[in-house]
Amino acid sequence: MALSTDFTPLSLAVLPRRKRSLLKRLLRLCLIALVLLAMAAAAAWWLLTYPGVTASALPMAAQPLRGTGGASAQRLQAHVQALSENFPGRSFDQPAQLDMAASYIHDQLKALGTTPSRQPVLVDGQARYHNIVLRLGPQKGQPGSDAPLLVIGAHYDAVRTNGAAAGSAPDAHSHTPGADDNASGVAGLLELARMLVAHPPSQPVELVAYTLEEPPQFRTPQMGSYQHAAALAYAGQPLRMMLSLEMIGYFDDRPASQRYPVPGMTAIYPSAGNFLALIGQLGHFAATRETYAQLLGGAQIDAAGTAPLPMRALSAPASLRGIDYSDHQNYWRLGYPALMVTDTSFMRNPHYHRSTDTWDKLDYRRMAQAVNAVLAVALADPADPGQGVVPQAGDFLR
């Protein structure tokens, strides 16, 4: 028998003409669907991961810091060590310990020649807790003072693990020391304040150390960040953005040290947990892209010859596990754009919410690079006043 040269799929040549035509159309539709699916996947990859974003030029106010090293690893370590060791049990059930931690933050800011304030945080109608707030930048009537506000915050409370026995003092076994979570973010906030005092921003910047981020207040109006965001919203304060510094000190160069909330993300993101992450939700795509470029630009502040800290960005639905696990969630609730800067928390750090979350586990050199990156965002040129977001009445308590 002669060898057939017709290799048409499914032997279309032997089918009746009508069926053959129908099957060909079906195959074409499948091919078109596959092409569209590939295009959609490529578009999603571009939207979610921000490939090709290049570093922004260093802002004018930051130019004197170029190549100097900027943030001090030694100061960061001293703050983390003080917060995690000197105030054990800085949790909602130990208001005295929380108040001493708040006083430490307040005194450190005051020593810079600034005037921080205490914002009462009501729990069951009582104001036993406080946010520490510092406003920097141009004063009212000065150039740039009408630019929308940038808020940078970090929570200073730590999680309770087992609770302290009656009549006994809290310790590292009843309450986590909270070095990475989140003394690291507060130390970064204090170091930012030091550099912003020396190099004033050209737009209003508010630094906030929040109380009561951890359970049982988490996701409730009793969170310090919720009450701060609500106060801004009720005052009609236009906001450029809020940045949450949530665990910024743990880095791991080992392969497979980084985990992700969705299988397959290692095809796009690094296997090693040695990068800083910028996390936002899909609706804040433009703000995330701009901030990512500014963070990358902050590498110019690092000491000359220092390898840049790797950074990655992600925009995802708010329902993705972990994407709203910090104080920025409350600004979302009230209609404000907000992003999280993080070492990815429990996706990387095995000491998360454990008694082993101690100051000696952190990488202060790379932590200083992370602070430099955030400094570049804080020192960016003022935005158009019209670009700020003011929540409408319908945005409250969504």
Side-chain angles (χ1 to χ4, degrees):
M1 186 172 75
L3 183 66
S4 173
T5 58
D6 187 349
F7 297 107
T8 306
L10 300 180
S11 300
L12 293 181
V14 301
L15 291 175
R17 180 174 298 176
R18 183 176 176 183
K19 291 184 177 179
R20 185 168 58 201
S21 174
L22 183 63
L23 195 51
K24 282 184 176 179
R25 270 191 299 231
L26 182 60
L27 288 172
R28 276 197 296 267
L29 287 174
C30 289
L31 182 61
I32 291 171
L34 286 173
V35 170
L36 290 175
L37 184 62
M39 291 174 63
W45 173 70
W46 187 83
L47 283 169
L48 298 179
T49 65
Y50 304 90
V53 172
T54 56
S56 295
L58 202 60
M60 187 65 66
Q63 288 296 336
L65 288 166
R66 181 186 292 270
T68 65
S72 164
Q74 291 74 26
R75 288 188 180 92
L76 290 168
Q77 179 175 326
H79 289 314
V80 171
Q81 193 167 356
L83 286 165
S84 60
E85 288 193 335
N86 296 350
F87 314 109
R90 56 184 201 281
S91 176
F92 77 100
D93 64 322
Q94 302 289 330
Q97 293 295 100
L98 266 182
D99 192 57
M100 286 192 288
S103 294
Y104 172 85
I105 297 165
H106 184 278
D107 292 346
Q108 292 295 317
L109 293 173
K110 191 173 180 181
L112 298 174
T114 67
T115 309
S117 62
R118 289 175 175 262
Q119 179 188 26
V121 173
L122 297 178
V123 177
D124 298 329
Q126 299 182 29
R128 296 191 296 170
Y129 307 95
H130 296 87
N131 294 330
I132 305 300
V133 183
L134 177 64
R135 179 75 70 99
L136 297 169
Q139 301 299 309
K140 188 173 182 180
Q142 294 179 339
S145 63
D146 58 346
L149 179 67
L150 171 66
V151 173
I152 304 176
H155 71 90
Y156 65 88
D157 63 317
V159 73
R160 181 179 71 168
T161 51
N162 301 310
S168 62
D171 57 29
H173 298 289
S174 64
H175 297 73
T176 173
D180 195 26
D181 185 18
N182 187 34
S184 65
V186 177
L189 205 68
L190 292 173
E191 188 63 358
L192 277 173
R194 182 185 69 84
M195 293 188 290
L196 289 173
V197 168
H199 305 275
S202 50
Q203 62 183 342
V205 175
E206 194 157 279
L207 305 180
V208 190
Y210 303 114
T211 191
L212 303 186
E213 187 266 359
E214 299 286 3
Q217 281 74 33
F218 188 67
R219 296 197 191 284
T220 75
Q222 295 180 337
M223 291 177 70
S225 53
Y226 180 89
Q227 298 194 24
H228 179 264
L232 293 179
Y234 279 117
Q237 171 67 58
L239 205 66
R240 168 189 164 195
M241 185 176 51
M242 182 270 181
L243 278 183
S244 174
L245 307 186
E246 178 60 57
M247 303 179 63
I248 60 171
Y250 191 87
F251 299 89
D252 194 334
D253 292 311
R254 295 175 300 170
S257 57
Q258 181 68 48
R259 293 180 293 116
Y260 295 97
V262 177
M265 288 183 71
T266 48
I268 301 173
Y269 293 101
S271 167
N274 58 3
F275 60 92
L276 187 71
L278 177 69
I279 309 296
Q281 62 175 338
L282 291 174
H284 301 145
F285 175 81
T288 306
R289 190 174 183 86
E290 179 184 27
T291 305
Y292 186 28
Q294 292 167 344
L295 289 173
L296 292 170
Q300 300 167 67
I301 297 173
D302 297 342
T306 303
L309 177 66
M311 299 187 197
R312 296 293 186 272
L314 170 68
S315 287
S319 58
L320 182 67
R321 181 176 179 238
I323 198 172
D324 69 343
Y325 281 14
S326 191
D327 294 293
H328 59 297
Q329 64 168 269
N330 292 311
Y331 296 81
W332 290 354
R333 289 181 69 187
L334 297 176
Y336 282 128
L339 304 170
M340 175 171 59
V341 177
T342 180
D343 62 19
T344 75
S345 181
F346 58 90
M347 293 293 175
R348 176 189 306 174
N349 190 339
H351 309 288
Y352 172 77
H353 281 190
R354 294 179 180 271
S355 61
T356 51
D357 183 13
T358 52
W359 66 270
D360 55 306
K361 306 291 196 313
L362 306 189
D363 185 329
Y364 296 97
R365 179 186 64 82
R366 283 191 272 201
M367 188 173 160
Q369 290 182 283
V371 174
N372 286 340
V374 176
L375 179 66
V377 179
L379 291 178
D381 294 330
D384 184 324
Q387 293 180 355
V389 175
V390 180
Q392 303 299 313
D395 290 321
F396 287 89
L397 297 175
R398 289 190 300 177

